[in-house]
Amino acid sequence: MMQVSSSARRFPRVLDRIPVLLRPQLSLSSDPVEAVDSLPLSGQWPRPRSFSFQDSRPFVTTDGNPRPSTIMFKQLVHHPQCSPMVRAFFSSVANKETGQPTEIVQELYQKMSKSVEARTMPPNAWLWSLISNCANQEDIKLLFQMLQKLRIFRLSNLRIHANFNCHLCMRVSEACARAGALEYGLKALQKHNVYGLTPTIGSAHYLLLHAKEHNDAKLMVKIMDVLQKNSLPLQPGTADIVFSICYNTNKWD
């Protein structure tokens, strides 16, 4: 009995702690990049119940009232702390079909454009965030427009004639492969480009792996032609990917 009584006294204290544990402390800044950076690390966010965006059930109950989950979702979308991440996720899902750039990419592009117009180099974090949030071809289009603006700004205002480092080109190529914008990815492999990108064979490997994943031998040929024209040195790993595609597609010519 004493053990039961002691457990009963501790139980309310445990319940009092639960809301605190489930509330992540977010930044109150309206800046999308700062809001993303302030989110909890992986494993610290409470696991939500599974939810399918293809759920065909109506958002109202049989008596005409909104479902509780619908009310909670609307509150979440309009919450000042969570809206950047939520809007970014839902816009990336919807805009893949509508052919429009995602909302967070548009916001970052506009912020960076205003910074360039004010003759101020945008923070590097904005560019990295823009690259990591690209989800479709329209996003990649804005990314390449911004890269061209930044290159012109570096030439005219900072007198920097060198291209961006090769790590940036690798991240851009990775984003192109992820978003399926392969024509832009091929542009990133051009040695003399207007975007200030420094192509490497590592950048090409992201595109070749995309071709391998989709068994696209024609894309592989296009990539190899660009590599040859731009005299990019190949690696043993390049041959591994190429022969894998030939084997999977049975196209040895």
Side-chain angles (χ1 to χ4, degrees), residues 24-222:
Q25 300 298 321
L26 299 179
S27 169
L28 296 179
S29 170
S30 60
D31 184 90
V33 177
E34 294 180 1
V36 171
D37 290 341
S38 64
L39 288 173
L41 297 175
S42 176
Q44 295 177 343
W45 195 277
R47 178 184 291 273
R49 291 183 298 173
S50 61
F51 179 81
S52 172
F53 296 105
Q54 283 137 9
D55 194 348
S56 59
R57 294 178 300 174
F59 287 97
V60 296
T61 57
T62 54
D63 57 1
N65 296 320
R67 292 182 180 276
S69 58
T70 305
I71 299 174
M72 181 181 66
F73 166 71
K74 289 182 178 180
Q75 292 174 346
L76 179 63
V77 169
H78 296 289
H79 197 283
Q81 295 178 348
C82 298
S83 58
M85 282 294 293
V86 175
R87 285 187 287 108
F89 180 79
F90 281 97
S91 61
S92 65
V93 173
N95 291 333
K96 280 184 179 180
E97 299 179 356
T98 60
Q100 297 295 325
T102 55
E103 188 171 349
I104 191 169
V105 169
Q106 283 182 311
E107 290 180 358
L108 288 167
Y109 177 83
Q110 292 170 0
K111 286 178 59 175
M112 295 179 70
S113 296
K114 290 180 180 178
S115 180
V116 171
E117 291 169 3
R119 297 182 180 276
T120 304
M121 191 68 177
N124 289 336
W126 291 1
L127 179 58
W128 294 120
S129 183
L130 177 61
I131 294 172
S132 63
N133 281 285
C134 285
N136 58 35
Q137 185 157 339
E138 293 302 316
D139 291 343
I140 298 295
K141 183 178 179 180
L142 289 182
L143 170 61
F144 273 71
Q145 289 177 5
M146 179 50 59
L147 289 172
Q148 189 172 5
K149 286 185 178 182
L150 293 178
R151 181 176 183 271
I152 295 173
F153 180 85
R154 281 159 53 97
L155 287 172
S156 59
N157 293 277
L158 305 179
R159 300 294 188 269
I160 299 177
H161 296 275
N163 287 340
F164 298 109
N165 60 49
C166 58
H167 182 67
L168 177 65
C169 186
M170 292 181 65
R171 296 283 76 81
V172 170
S173 300
E174 182 183 18
C176 291
R178 182 178 66 246
L182 286 312
E183 292 301 322
Y184 282 97
L186 293 175
K187 291 180 180 180
L189 299 181
Q190 301 282 346
K191 270 191 175 180
H192 304 288
N193 58 78
V194 298
Y195 310 106
L197 295 174
T198 305
T200 62
I201 190 61
S203 302
H205 282 180
Y206 283 109
L207 304 181
L208 285 173
L209 288 172
H210 179 86
K212 177 182 177 180
E213 181 181 355
H214 293 81
N215 291 325
D216 193 339
K218 291 183 179 180
L219 175 60
M220 178 199 70
V221 173
K222 285 184 179 180

